[in-house]
Amino acid sequence: MKCPRIEVNLTKIKQNACYLKKMCQKNGIELMAVTKGFCAKHQIAKTLEEAGITRFGDSRVENIRKLREANIRGEMTLIRLPMLSEAVEVVKWADVSFNTEIEVIEALSREAVSQNKLHKIVLVIEVGDLREGIMPEKLVETIKYIRKLKGIEIYGVALNVGCFGGVLPSITNTQTLVEAAIKVEEMLGKDLKVISGGSTCSLKLLEEGKMPERINQLRIGEAILLGTDVTGQRKIPGLNRNTMRLVAEVVELKEKPSVPWGEIGRDAFGKLPKFEDKGIRKRAILAIGRQDVVIESLIPEIEGVKVLGGSSDHMILDVTDAQDDVYVGKQMGFKMSYGAMLALMTSEYVEKVYIDEDEGKTFKNIE
Ligand SMILES: *Cc1c(COP(=O)(O)O)cnc(C)c1O
């Protein structure tokens, strides 16, 4: 089979989606599946649809368009703030978008009127992670202004943590969102449809029974796809983690010293490399590199193999202590974290292979 490739186990992903959907449902929460981690590939989106997911979120309008064109049914939300320059596409393809800027909401309003649509907006509230969000004390004036706009429905509020500042979800910051929601509801004289309490890292509050009651939506990508929570540094109980694997091929295997010789400048990415002298080691080079993957977030399946690093198109392993045979032409497997998955899914050089255990079949990426 072609290398490098990412093998995606649809059956295991479906099980994760079903499990999380049930867990959310029990707590009065709707699960929005976030599709950006897999570039909204229709094979995976279909699987989520089969798991009963009816809400999808992505950070890119192109991906939402892809979902629509693949006939995925459900409510589509743009979860990255729209660019002013893409208002036309946002209104055309997304039902809902996350917003914080009045100027952009005005543009969406004009576009909605001209496309004869009602576009729903969710206002993101800043609770401390310092990525996007309206400062809570500025919320009232924002609402006063945008409530008059035509073609726009104020659909809900959302918070975002664990992304830029590494701030963990807590009862306190989630409660800040609920308070903001109540304020907006008072001003509008009606209930908000969506109070969106965060992403994969917020599942911990749910598991511990600490999720404030009014939260009625979570936006989940990583947990469904990998069964992990990178922000909280944990494996999520009840979920499959063997959902995706990378396979890459050995193109050189040689014994070499462990420290480079000659005058040392910078590596291909401008960094000053550091080496520990371990004597002569057996090294394998794989035909995959930083253009395709985040090398540091790969975990070799063979015990005893160590990832030394890589360049644009090569990954270098120390296989001296490998517990299995390594040879030129060997196709080696790796587990991955979120960053690696994102890059592998995006790289056009990496073959996507889907495995459906229920149907007992394996099929390749057909775009
Ligand atoms: C990516 C993203 C998510 C999903 O995050 P996961 O950690 O993959 O669950 C949710 N909300 C926003 C705004 C995002 O950008």
Side-chain angles (χ1 to χ4, degrees):
M1 249 202 277
K2 200 168 175 280
C3 264
R5 64 178 179 272
I6 179 169
E7 295 180 357
V8 181
N9 190 314
L10 297 177
T11 311
K12 297 210 156 82
I13 289 173
K14 193 197 268 184
Q15 287 166 354
N16 284 357
C18 287
Y19 182 93
L20 287 168
K21 187 169 194 288
K22 262 194 219 127
M23 184 169 129
C24 286
Q25 239 161 14
K26 258 190 244 158
N27 293 274
I29 288 174
E30 285 257 12
L31 174 73
M32 178 201 288
V34 174
T35 54
K36 67 183 188 221
F38 57 91
C39 306
K41 302 266 182 223
H42 64 83
Q43 293 86 345
I44 304 179
K46 260 273 166 296
T47 301
L48 298 177
E49 195 181 38
E50 284 164 20
I53 302 287
T54 54
R55 281 165 208 264
F56 296 89
D58 203 295
S59 44
R60 292 169 199 261
V61 187
E62 295 91 320
N63 285 351
I64 291 179
R65 176 179 182 163
K66 247 178 29 190
L67 294 171
R68 291 251 190 251
E69 288 179 344
N71 286 318
I72 304 295
R73 278 184 300 269
E75 185 184 78
M76 304 289 171
T77 302
L78 182 69
I79 58 173
R80 180 173 70 185
L81 304 181
M83 294 182 261
L84 257 183
S85 60
E86 64 180 0
V88 178
E89 291 78 15
V90 173
V91 171
K92 181 164 184 204
W93 297 108
D95 303 301
V96 188
S97 62
F98 278 24
N99 285 275
T100 63
E101 292 288 357
I102 288 175
E103 217 182 328
V104 177
I105 299 169
E106 283 176 325
L108 293 171
S109 159
R110 282 192 298 273
E111 227 5 90
V113 170
S114 100
Q115 294 185 28
N116 201 15
K117 279 186 166 175
L118 185 65
H119 185 74
K120 298 170 181 150
I121 61 168
V122 168
L123 296 169
V124 187
I125 312 297
E126 177 63 69
V127 299
D129 193 54
L130 291 182
R131 205 176 70 180
E132 73 274 37
I134 300 169
M135 293 296 281
E137 62 272 20
K138 296 282 186 217
L139 187 57
V140 169
E141 65 186 77
T142 306
I143 297 283
K144 268 190 192 150
Y145 191 81
I146 60 172
R147 63 187 296 184
K148 299 187 210 123
L149 296 173
K150 293 198 170 63
I152 294 288
E153 178 187 343
I154 301 173
Y155 194 50
V157 290
L159 67 68
N160 200 37
V161 287
C163 279
F164 178 70
V167 171
L168 292 170
S170 64
I171 301 178
T172 313
N173 53 32
T174 312
Q175 199 55 47
T176 304
L177 178 73
V178 173
E179 279 154 23
I182 293 170
K183 208 184 309 176
V184 176
E185 287 175 339
E186 280 168 6
M187 289 183 76
L188 299 178
K190 60 168 192 171
D191 283 356
L192 290 171
K193 302 266 172 37
V194 166
I195 304 179
S196 186
S199 58
T200 290
C201 57
S202 300
L203 286 169
K204 188 135 192 275
L205 287 182
L206 197 59
E207 289 163 40
E208 292 170 348
K210 293 182 185 159
M211 186 62 83
E213 211 165 273
R214 291 283 324 268
I215 300 298
N216 63 11
Q217 180 188 87
L218 287 178
R219 315 175 304 265
I220 308 291
E222 185 187 359
I224 297 175
L225 298 169
L226 296 168
T228 51
D229 166 10
V230 66
T231 311
Q233 290 284 304
R234 67 191 190 106
K235 298 171 175 168
I236 298 168
L239 298 181
N240 298 312
R241 277 176 297 279
N242 46 356
T243 46
M244 306 215 187
R245 74 192 278 265
L246 164 69
V247 184
E249 189 169 321
V250 178
V251 292
E252 180 184 292
L253 180 72
K254 292 192 190 304
E255 300 210 325
K256 293 187 187 182
S258 37
V259 179
W261 62 95
E263 195 185 343
I264 302 291
R266 298 288 167 113
D267 69 11
F269 288 84
K271 295 212 180 100
L272 196 63
K274 271 202 205 96
F275 295 93
E276 189 190 337
D277 193 353
K278 292 181 167 177
I280 300 286
R281 307 290 288 177
K282 199 198 268 181
R283 298 154 70 92
I285 300 180
L286 273 64
I288 188 161
R290 295 196 193 277
Q291 188 161 9
D292 315 295
V293 72
V294 181
I295 287 177
E296 289 70 23
S297 42
L298 291 175
I299 304 138
E301 285 174 357
I302 300 178
E303 271 323 293
V305 172
K306 198 168 166 268
V307 178
L308 295 176
S311 55
S312 335
D313 309 294
H314 301 85
M315 172 158 82
I316 299 139
L317 307 178
D318 184 329
V319 297
T320 316
D321 305 321
Q323 298 297 301
D324 196 3
D325 228 14
V326 177
Y327 46 86
V328 172
K330 169 136 181 132
Q331 303 198 344
M332 296 181 68
F334 296 84
K335 287 190 263 214
M336 69 193 75
S337 62
Y338 193 84
M341 171 186 69
L342 204 59
L344 289 167
M345 279 294 177
T346 308
S347 174
E348 61 176 276
Y349 304 106
V350 177
E351 177 102 313
K352 281 81 184 169
V353 176
Y354 300 95
I355 296 157
D356 186 334
E357 289 175 6
D358 297 336
E359 304 267 324
K361 68 179 180 196
T362 297
F363 53 97
K364 281 198 224 145
N365 194 22
I366 306 148
E367 293 290 347

